[in-house]
């Protein structure tokens, strides 16, 4: 992030627009957006971009095609309607559509101008904007056009909405004493901060290492708030103790109502959440695992990140072979974080892994696609592997990723007499690439970090990543005194299905017992 820009910005005139053209004096920065949600029941909202002056005569305005965290092209530009540009006198200036997500604005050299458009929303989903009479969920990549080549400029935002709505939840910095105004030092931060508005409920916040953690949500349902927030606190403590550093000033869990999925950000996460199931142990474990996953992502993918995942190319997307680390190991750690937080027992932890085992081992795609390929091809295959006619030719890194994480952890623990673990690899990556080098790690650097922590060459292990070689569970799980049983059962559709069970060996050797004990956090 680029805080220096804030200091460089001089007071400038920008313009406010609502239903008609109104100009008024305001101060910095160069680009100011107004989002007006005046008729939310129509599922649409208006956006105006005001620019006090621009050095070039033309700019290309672009709508991103995707949002980091959801690795699919989303066609956000399809939701843009009625785009028009004006000069300071409210007179139309040229706004020519060049392709599906680019507009050329001309004749603006040294002069103020503004651009207005509407966003039409249709589907309630975690990775696109959605507005209805009760709330607004704004995905910034689905809202704010950027000037091509100018992602580094600071922006300010004013939100204008129904006065019956009581609260805004976002990771953006608020302007002091102006609850509806926010700033971002650049577009990467702007695009990292979704905005939720409505009659939202905020639960009492908690602090970990002096840092405030909030939970704000829409339609959050009925559950025991105190138990839930205590559990969330334990999750934050458990996850942050693995890395040993909390890198944000404040963190917000943003519940967006019923649905599926969550998206991770630097100082917040948006999660589909309606409180359901929090009175049943199995469903509670799934909810806590899910929240731990999204929370752990602020380390693993936002800061401990693949080299290719930054700077972001909002037009073309950023492909990487390493999503199995960012996603698969976040699944691995969601289970461990919840177990080590004391919110699940060992049997629950084993059953979490059994779920991935059953899914992966019964997927014929395991013989066709490697983790590396699954990471790269997710943009075309979809987040859970190919479907339809191509079903069975791909794997899900959400299943094989945590399994490889499990075996890799045991490999490192066994090689070092349990002195080191995969936790040390994650810490090393955080310190070396996020804190010191301030960049992502490459595929070779990930393997090197594992070997440095293991103290031996483990290149043969990485065949489980680079090829479709079948996983040797028995060998690695024995390092932790665990065994795996496989049964063939007949599923409902009469297809024979493999069913796996993880259990403890009787009479483990001292090293096996020690590895299991410390891995479980007991
Ligand atoms: Zn994830």
């Amino acid at each position: 992030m680029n805080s220096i820009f804030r200091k460089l910005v001089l007071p400038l005139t920008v313009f406010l627009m609502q239903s008609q053209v109104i100009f008024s004096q305001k101060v910095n920065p160069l680009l100011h957006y107004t989002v007006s949600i005046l008729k939310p029941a129509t599922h649409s909202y208006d956006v105006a971009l005001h620019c006090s002056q621009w050095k070039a005569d033309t700019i290309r305005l672009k709508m991103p095609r995707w949002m980091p965290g959801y690795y699919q092209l989303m066609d956000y530009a399809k939701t843009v309607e009625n785009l028009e540009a004006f000069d300071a006198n409210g007179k139309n200036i040229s706004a020519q559509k060049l392709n599906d997500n680019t507009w050329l604005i001309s004749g603006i050299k040294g002069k103020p101008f503004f651009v207005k458009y509407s966003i039409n929303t249709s589907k309630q989903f975690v990775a696109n904007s959605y507005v209805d009479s009760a709330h607004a969920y704004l995905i910034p990549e689905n809202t704010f056009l950027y000037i091509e080549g100018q992602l580094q400029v600071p922006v300010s935002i004013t939100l204008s909405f129904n006065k019956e709505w009581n609260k805004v939840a976002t990771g953006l910095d608020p302007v002091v004493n102006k609850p509806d105004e926010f700033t971002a030092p650049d577009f990467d931060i702007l695009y990292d901060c979704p905005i939720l508005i409505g009659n939202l409920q905020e639960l009492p916040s908690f602090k970990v290492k002096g840092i405030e953690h909030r939970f704000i949500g829409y339609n959050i349902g009925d559950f025991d708030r105190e138990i839930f927030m205590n559990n969330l606190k334990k999750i934050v403590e458990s996850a942050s103790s693995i890395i040993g550093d909390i890198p944000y000033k404040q963190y917000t869990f943003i519940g967006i109502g019923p649905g599926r999925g969550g998206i991770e950000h630097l100082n917040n996460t948006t999660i589909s959440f309606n409180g359901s199931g929090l009175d049943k142990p199995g469903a509670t474990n799934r909810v806590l695992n899910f929240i731990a996953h999204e929370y752990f992502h602020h380390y693993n993918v936002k800061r401990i990140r693949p080299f290719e995942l930054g700077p972001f190319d909002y037009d073309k997307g950023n492909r990487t072979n390493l999503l199995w680390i960012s996603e698969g190991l976040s699944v691995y750690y969601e289970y461990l974080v919840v177990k080590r937080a004391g919110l699940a027992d060992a049997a629950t932890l084993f059953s979490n892994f059994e779920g991935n085992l059953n899914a992966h081992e019964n997927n014929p795609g395991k013989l066709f696609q490697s983790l590396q390929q699954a990471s790269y091809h997710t943009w075309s295959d979809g987040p859970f592997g190919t479907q339809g006619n191509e079903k069975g030719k791909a794997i899900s890194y959400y299943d094989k990723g945590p399994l490889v994480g499990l075996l890799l952890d045991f490999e490192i623990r066994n090689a070092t007499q349990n002195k080191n673990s995969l936790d040390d690899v994650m810490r090393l990556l955080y310190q070396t690439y996020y804190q010191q080098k301030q960049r992502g790690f490459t595929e070779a650097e990930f393997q090197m970090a594992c070997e440095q922590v293991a103290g031996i060459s483990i290149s043969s292990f990485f065949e489980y990543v680079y090829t479709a070689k079948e996983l040797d569970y028995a060998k690695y799980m024995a390092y932790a005194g665990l065994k795996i049983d496989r049964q063939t059962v007949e599923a409902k559709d009469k297809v024979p299905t493999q069913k796996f069970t993880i259990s403890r060996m009787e009479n483990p050797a001292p090293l096996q017992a020690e590895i299991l004990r410390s891995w479980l956090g007991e």
Side-chain angles (χ1 to χ4, degrees):
M1 98 164 66
N2 207 338
S3 59
I4 196 167
F5 276 96
R6 251 183 224 172
K7 296 180 193 114
L8 291 177
V9 174
L10 299 168
L12 291 163
T13 310
V14 294
F15 304 93
L16 265 176
M17 190 279 300
Q18 290 200 331
S19 54
Q20 51 184 309
V21 180
I22 301 165
F23 289 89
S24 67
Q25 292 286 319
K26 288 206 81 196
V27 291
N28 76 42
L30 211 56
L31 298 183
H32 180 81
Y33 291 89
T34 306
V35 179
S36 306
I37 310 159
L38 302 178
K39 294 177 186 159
T42 64
H43 303 297
S44 69
Y45 57 98
D46 300 316
V47 185
L49 160 62
H50 309 84
C51 179
S52 51
Q53 60 170 359
W54 199 255
K55 53 191 181 297
D57 194 50
T58 60
I59 52 166
R60 286 165 188 256
L61 283 175
K62 295 189 77 85
M63 189 56 101
R65 291 183 201 271
W66 70 293
M67 70 178 296
Y70 193 71
Y71 307 99
Q72 301 286 295
L73 293 179
M74 291 296 285
D75 267 345
Y76 293 128
K78 269 197 182 152
T79 65
V80 176
E81 293 182 344
N82 305 322
L83 186 143
E84 288 184 283
F86 302 89
D87 68 12
N89 301 316
K91 210 174 131 223
N92 265 108
I93 57 174
S94 171
Q96 183 193 353
K97 193 164 185 185
L98 297 180
N99 63 27
D100 59 328
N101 74 331
T102 312
W103 291 261
L104 179 72
I105 312 294
S106 308
I108 56 171
K109 188 167 185 147
K111 289 185 281 191
F113 69 93
F114 78 97
V115 176
K116 64 169 191 158
Y117 51 96
S118 302
I119 299 291
N120 193 13
T121 72
S122 58
K123 189 177 79 170
Q124 194 159 4
F125 183 54
V126 71
N128 56 242
S129 292
Y130 185 74
V131 170
D132 66 18
S133 54
H135 80 305
Y137 174 55
L138 309 180
I139 289 295
E141 292 89 336
N142 191 174
T143 302
F144 303 109
L145 297 166
Y146 66 92
I147 300 176
E148 190 176 65
Q150 300 291 332
L151 289 167
Q152 79 285 3
V153 298
V155 291
S156 60
I157 293 161
T158 300
L159 302 174
S160 169
F161 54 86
N162 190 342
K163 291 287 169 272
E164 285 161 23
W165 291 357
N166 70 349
K167 204 182 266 292
V168 177
T170 179
L172 288 169
D173 279 341
V175 175
V176 179
N177 294 328
K178 293 187 175 171
D180 303 335
E181 294 190 23
F182 299 87
T183 60
D186 56 48
F187 276 74
D188 283 323
I189 297 299
L190 176 68
Y191 286 156
D192 194 50
C193 296
I195 301 165
L196 180 71
I197 317 168
N199 277 321
L200 311 182
Q201 259 190 295
E202 177 159 10
L203 304 184
S205 67
F206 59 84
K207 286 189 176 178
V208 174
K209 298 234 163 78
I211 294 166
E212 189 182 29
H213 293 75
R214 307 165 76 195
F215 184 98
I216 308 175
Y218 162 70
N219 203 356
I220 62 175
D222 194 23
F223 55 93
D224 189 317
R225 270 81 166 128
E226 196 179 329
I227 291 176
F228 178 69
M229 289 307 275
N230 281 338
N231 290 348
L232 222 51
K233 183 177 185 205
K234 287 177 188 165
I235 285 172
V236 171
E237 287 168 340
S238 170
S240 57
S241 73
I242 290 172
I243 305 299
D245 183 47
I246 299 183
Y248 45 75
K249 288 182 289 182
Q250 187 187 66
Y251 189 92
T252 311
F253 296 90
I254 301 174
I256 63 167
R260 291 188 65 193
I263 308 271
E264 62 278 2
H265 303 288
L266 286 164
N267 68 356
N268 69 94
T269 178
T270 52
I271 49 172
S272 301
F273 178 91
N274 65 354
S276 73
L278 285 174
D279 53 348
K280 301 182 196 79
T284 299
N285 180 249
R286 280 193 293 279
V287 173
L288 297 180
N289 282 352
F290 164 53
I291 294 177
H293 176 98
E294 298 305 332
Y295 177 73
F296 195 73
H297 265 317
H298 88 76
Y299 296 116
N300 189 30
V301 84
K302 298 309 296 183
R303 294 182 172 92
I304 302 169
R305 68 165 173 87
F307 186 79
E308 296 81 7
L309 288 187
F312 292 117
D313 185 332
Y314 297 100
D315 202 39
K316 296 190 176 67
N318 297 54
R319 284 183 181 241
T320 170
N321 287 337
L322 302 177
L323 282 182
W324 73 270
I325 297 169
S326 304
E327 288 300 340
L329 295 190
S330 290
V331 175
Y332 180 65
Y333 275 105
E334 73 182 61
Y335 302 158
L336 285 186
V337 161
V338 171
K339 167 66 182 76
R340 292 176 187 168
L343 301 173
D345 57 17
T348 305
L349 178 68
F350 296 165
S351 81
N352 291 156
F353 285 109
E354 285 162 4
N356 301 117
L357 268 165
N358 293 335
H360 179 67
E361 288 300 319
N362 287 298
N363 177 1
K366 69 178 181 170
L367 300 174
F368 291 92
Q369 195 181 51
S370 69
L371 272 177
Q372 198 185 40
Q373 290 168 322
S375 300
Y376 192 81
H377 292 295
T378 189
W379 289 85
S380 46
D381 289 354
F384 304 103
T386 49
Q387 303 296 326
N389 291 340
E390 286 293 295
K391 194 169 163 60
K393 292 281 170 61
I395 59 162
S396 168
Y397 45 65
Y398 291 104
D399 288 319
K400 191 177 179 183
L403 297 173
V404 166
L406 178 72
L407 305 193
L408 179 58
D409 202 350
F410 291 160
E411 167 84 343
I412 294 168
R413 286 173 186 268
N414 183 64
T416 60
Q417 306 290 299
N418 200 39
K419 289 194 178 62
N420 291 337
S421 71
L422 192 59
D423 299 1
D424 295 282
V425 175
M426 300 309 280
R427 263 193 300 278
L428 180 65
L429 294 170
Y430 182 83
Q431 290 161 2
T432 306
Y433 297 101
Y434 168 64
Q435 289 184 317
Q436 292 160 25
K437 297 185 192 283
Q438 299 181 357
R439 65 166 173 85
F441 56 85
T442 65
E443 200 157 28
E445 285 165 345
F446 179 79
Q447 189 174 327
M448 268 166 46
C450 291
E451 295 193 334
Q452 187 181 329
V453 168
I456 55 165
S457 164
I458 50 172
S459 54
S460 65
F461 183 91
F462 277 82
E463 289 174 30
Y464 295 129
V465 174
Y466 305 142
T467 75
K469 181 179 170 180
E470 295 228 50
L471 297 171
D472 185 351
Y473 303 106
K475 171 183 168 184
Y476 295 95
M477 292 182 71
Y479 293 155
L482 294 174
K483 59 184 177 165
I484 185 160
D485 293 309
R486 177 189 306 239
Q487 268 186 306
T488 305
V489 295
E490 208 168 82
K492 275 186 208 144
D493 52 7
K494 307 270 182 196
V495 177
T497 301
Q498 304 285 305
K499 193 166 178 298
F500 292 81
T501 330
I502 297 170
S503 59
R504 297 171 196 247
M505 288 175 171
E506 285 161 33
N507 307 316
L511 179 61
Q512 289 172 310
E514 174 55 20
I515 287 177
L516 182 60
R517 189 199 59 74
S518 74
W519 176 70
L520 290 171
E522 289 174 349

